[in-house]
Amino acid sequence: MTALVSLLIGAGIGGQSESGTKAAPGSTGASLAPAVTVTETAEAKAAPAVTETVVATVTAEPEETEEAGPATSISGEGEYLVGEDIKAGTYKSAGPSGDFGCYWARLKDTSGEFDAIIANNNLSGPGRVTLNKGEYFQTKMCQEWTRVG
């Protein structure tokens, strides 16, 4: 009798599913779980900013210019040191700038003394003078003097 009770209890247990319900006839007693789909949305992380630094080196060649130095033309009255204020050489002028003539003088200094005069002239028309480095050139009431040689 004990064996029969054990058989009935065993059959009852074997026919039940894990959830406590009876299994369908012909099944093994295992139940199928419903399919579950889990969808997760991931937060996109911003990519780090990429900066690019471009370094360019530009070398500019200076334009060729005449060296600063003594002038090669004289306009106006005054005394000029040859080699410093004006370049040595031969200069020409169209002559007087007015009605009273054009005066020029080559001077060894600017003392104003008579013996400082190397050469001088009063022009009533065009004229030329050759100036040497180290001497002074004085001009009064003359048109522009331009170096010609």
Side-chain angles (χ1 to χ4, degrees):
M1 175 94 154
T2 316
L4 184 58
V5 174
S6 295
L7 182 62
L8 287 177
I9 293 175
I13 293 173
Q16 290 182 353
S17 69
E18 289 181 18
S19 63
T21 59
K22 289 201 172 188
S27 73
T28 60
S31 66
L32 295 176
V36 177
T37 303
V38 177
T39 304
E40 289 186 28
T41 304
E43 243 181 75
K45 292 185 180 178
V50 176
T51 58
E52 186 174 320
T53 302
V54 176
V55 177
T57 301
V58 177
T59 303
E61 295 293 327
E63 292 182 20
E64 288 187 31
T65 58
E66 290 185 27
E67 289 184 31
T72 56
S73 65
I74 307 160
S75 58
E77 296 187 6
E79 290 180 347
Y80 304 91
L81 178 58
V82 179
E84 186 175 307
D85 298 328
I86 57 174
K87 198 169 193 170
T90 300
Y91 288 78
K92 72 175 184 174
S93 174
S97 61
D99 295 333
F100 298 106
C102 163
Y103 173 78
W104 65 262
R106 291 176 44 221
L107 308 169
K108 62 181 180 178
D109 59 43
T110 57
S111 66
E113 300 294 323
F114 186 74
D115 64 346
I117 299 173
I118 300 168
N120 66 348
N121 199 356
N122 284 300
L123 301 176
S124 57
R128 290 178 181 256
V129 61
T130 299
L131 307 173
N132 300 306
K133 186 175 180 175
E135 60 189 32
Y136 290 87
F137 178 66
Q138 183 182 61
T139 180
K140 293 182 183 179
M141 297 184 289
C142 299
Q143 293 184 51
E144 181 177 56
W145 292 91
T146 305
R147 188 172 187 264
V148 293

